[in-house]
């Protein structure tokens, strides 16, 4: 007699509790605090356990057509990922060439160039160390960077996961304040296209809330004056918004901040002076910057999530890399400890291997 405990359909049904559990943990954690990087781990655990159980369930149907179609889709996905992985260096260099033609030649705009060249050179460096250095030394020089790269990529994937999910943040149309974060001005006093997109996104939200509720939020334009600027960013942004039809009594210029952290802190001070006691606040920036800006707002003690403006697609790879580097460096102490531990582990494994 078949033991019900080992009934295959029953095991499959129980298996669905795994993604359900991870999904519930993610939903609760994200609902409590959207700006936490660790939420990405819970989402990944949910997503991949869900795909695993979906595959098991499809195989359990014994439906040949369903299995064949699912297998073909899976193989096609693997091929696409494989092609993208194989061509990643060339894709990065292609993007670097486009950015080189359209943007200024700054280090921040050359990240895809640097990464693309590094990926191309990595196999040659590995081969040279293997050929010309003692085996234990070559092992350390190959294994340790591989561990560090895996560690960096793990957190990069986690960051990309949360950046993608955060784009679905849609605050309700009942905000008391909208904070538009500044960016550099052109020719010292002109709103750049990128900054204009942020202001336009804020104005769009402002008008929708006004139309839906009859109650408009106050807009704070946050940005101080840079060394090459003749006017504070907040002032230039406010003038831009007024020219687009924003009433003057709904526009405030915060003109002292130099960083995103100061954007949040100084804007919060304005909000605290004006009230109400528990204001509803949303900030506006470009989409690639929303998640890190949210993390900074959390650090500044400002209870606010963000909405993102459109950004030219060719600009995104460098911008996203720059954002990730900033987040990684912002937690440099924890990462330094992890990297030191990886070095020690590499030395121990190498010593054990060649004793």
């Amino acid at each position: 007699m078949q033991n019900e405990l080992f009934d295959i359909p029953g095991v499959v049904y129980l298996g669905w509790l795994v993604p359900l559990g991870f999904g519930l943990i993610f939903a609760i954690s994200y609902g409590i605090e959207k700006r936490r990087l660790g939420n990405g781990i819970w989402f990944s655990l949910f997503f991949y356990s869900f795909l695993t159980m979906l595959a098991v369930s499809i195989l359990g149907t014994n439906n040949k057509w369903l299995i064949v179609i699912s297998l073909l889709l899976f193989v096609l996905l693997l091929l696409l990922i494989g092609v993208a992985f194989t061509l990643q260096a060339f894709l990065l260099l292609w993007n670097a060439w486009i950015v080189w033609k359209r943007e200024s030649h700054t280090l921040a705009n050359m990240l895809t160039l640097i990464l693309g060249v590094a990926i191309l050179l990595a196999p040659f460096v590995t081969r040279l160390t293997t050929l010309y250095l003692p085996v234990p030394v070559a092992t350390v020089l190959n294994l340790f960077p591989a561990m560090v790269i895996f560690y960096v990529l793990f957190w990069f994937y986690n960051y990309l996961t949360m950046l993608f999910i955060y784009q679905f943040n849609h605050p309700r149309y009942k905000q008391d304040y909208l904070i538009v974060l500044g960016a550099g001005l052109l020719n010292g006093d002109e709103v750049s296209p990128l900054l204009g997109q942020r202001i336009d996104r804020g104005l769009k939200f402002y008008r929708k809330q006004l139309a839906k509720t009859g109650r408009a939020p106050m807009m704070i334009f946050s940005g101080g004056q840079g060394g090459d600027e003749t006017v504070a960013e907040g002032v230039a942004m406010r003038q831009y918004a007024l020219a687009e039809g924003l009433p003057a009594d709904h526009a405030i210029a915060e003109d002292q901040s130099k960083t995103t952290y100061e954007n949040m802190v100084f804007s919060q001070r304005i909000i605290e002076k004006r009230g109400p006691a528990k204001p509803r606040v949303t900030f506006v920036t470009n989409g690639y910057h929303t998640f890190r800006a949210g993390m900074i707002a959390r650090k500044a003690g400002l209870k606010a999530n963000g909405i993102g403006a459109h950004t030219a697609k060719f600009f995104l790879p460098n911008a996203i890399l720059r954002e990730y580097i900033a987040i990684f460096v912002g937690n440099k102490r924890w990462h330094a400890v992890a990297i030191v531990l990886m070095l020690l582990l590499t030395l121990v494994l190498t010593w054990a291997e060649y004793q």
Side-chain angles (χ1 to χ4, degrees):
M1 186 174 66
Q2 186 179 13
N3 190 335
E4 293 183 1
L5 180 63
F6 296 99
D7 179 56
I8 297 301
V11 172
V12 172
Y13 294 144
L14 286 175
W16 278 104
L17 293 176
V18 176
L20 181 63
F22 286 136
L24 184 61
I25 293 172
F26 166 75
I28 293 172
S29 180
Y30 188 71
I32 294 173
E33 178 54 80
K34 293 181 174 68
R35 303 166 295 180
R36 187 180 293 123
L37 192 60
N39 289 334
I41 297 175
W42 293 117
F43 181 84
S44 294
L45 289 171
F46 155 72
F47 181 69
Y48 290 109
S49 61
F50 172 82
L51 290 182
T52 301
M53 289 310 305
L54 182 62
V56 171
S57 298
I58 290 173
L59 291 173
T61 64
N62 292 320
N63 185 318
K64 292 183 179 179
W65 282 108
L66 180 59
I67 293 173
V68 169
I69 292 172
S70 300
L71 184 61
L72 287 175
L73 291 174
F74 177 70
V75 171
L76 179 61
L77 178 61
L78 286 182
L79 286 174
L80 290 174
I81 294 173
V83 170
F85 184 80
T86 303
L87 299 178
Q88 60 181 322
F90 301 101
L91 293 173
L92 288 168
L93 293 175
W94 177 52
N95 175 261
W97 178 68
I98 295 173
V99 173
W100 184 273
K101 291 199 305 180
R102 300 188 183 185
E103 298 290 331
S104 59
H105 302 162
T106 62
L107 179 61
N109 287 334
M110 297 174 66
L111 294 177
T112 52
L113 173 63
I114 295 169
L115 183 57
V117 171
I119 292 173
L120 287 177
L121 292 179
F124 298 101
V125 173
T126 301
R127 181 63 177 166
L128 287 174
T129 57
T130 303
L131 287 174
Y132 297 106
L133 293 177
V135 174
V137 175
T139 300
V140 172
L141 292 180
N142 290 329
L143 179 59
F144 174 61
M147 295 175 68
V148 172
I149 290 171
F150 178 82
Y151 177 81
V152 171
L153 288 178
F154 170 80
W155 284 111
F156 182 58
Y157 178 81
N158 191 44
Y159 160 69
L160 287 180
T161 300
M162 287 312 304
L163 178 63
F164 175 77
I165 293 173
Y166 200 77
Q167 302 310 303
F168 295 94
N169 177 51
H170 298 295
R172 295 181 180 180
Y173 291 108
K174 55 179 183 179
Q175 303 302 305
D176 297 303
Y177 292 92
L178 293 176
I179 303 172
V180 183
L181 304 184
L185 300 175
L186 294 177
N187 302 318
D189 61 354
E190 298 176 14
V191 170
S192 66
L194 183 141
L195 183 53
Q197 289 167 348
R198 297 184 183 185
I199 302 170
D200 292 339
R201 181 68 180 91
L203 291 173
K204 181 180 179 181
F205 189 97
Y206 171 95
R207 289 165 183 152
K208 280 193 174 182
Q209 177 170 316
L210 182 60
K212 288 178 70 73
T213 67
R215 180 173 170 272
M218 186 67 65
M219 295 192 69
I220 300 176
F221 301 96
S222 181
Q225 182 174 341
D228 59 346
E229 295 171 344
T230 58
V231 64
E233 293 168 13
V235 173
M237 293 160 68
R238 183 177 184 274
Q239 292 300 320
Y240 177 100
L242 295 181
E244 292 294 320
L246 180 68
D249 57 345
H250 283 173
I252 301 172
E254 183 285 299
D255 58 3
Q256 298 300 312
S257 56
K258 304 293 185 183
T259 64
T260 303
Y261 180 79
E262 290 183 353
N263 286 149
M264 302 300 183
V265 171
F266 296 162
S267 296
Q268 185 177 30
R269 290 176 185 174
I270 293 174
I271 293 170
E272 289 174 347
K273 289 180 181 179
R274 296 179 58 91
K278 294 183 178 180
R280 299 182 181 92
V281 183
T282 291
F283 63 83
V284 186
T285 184
N286 288 87
Y288 67 83
H289 186 232
T290 49
F291 185 68
R292 185 169 75 91
M295 294 178 69
I296 293 172
R298 182 186 177 198
K299 182 179 178 181
L302 178 62
K303 188 177 181 180
N305 283 291
I307 53 176
H310 172 75
T311 305
K313 290 181 175 59
F314 78 88
F315 189 77
L316 287 177
N318 272 293
I320 290 173
L321 285 172
R322 186 166 63 244
E323 292 292 299
Y324 173 66
I325 290 171
I327 290 175
F328 195 88
V329 172
N331 295 280
K332 55 182 176 292
R333 291 182 181 178
W334 291 104
H335 295 314
V337 170
I339 290 172
V340 168
L341 291 176
M342 283 185 278
L343 177 59
L344 293 176
L345 178 60
T346 301
L347 295 174
V348 169
L349 291 175
T350 304
W351 179 82
E353 177 70 19
Y354 295 103
Q355 281 301 304

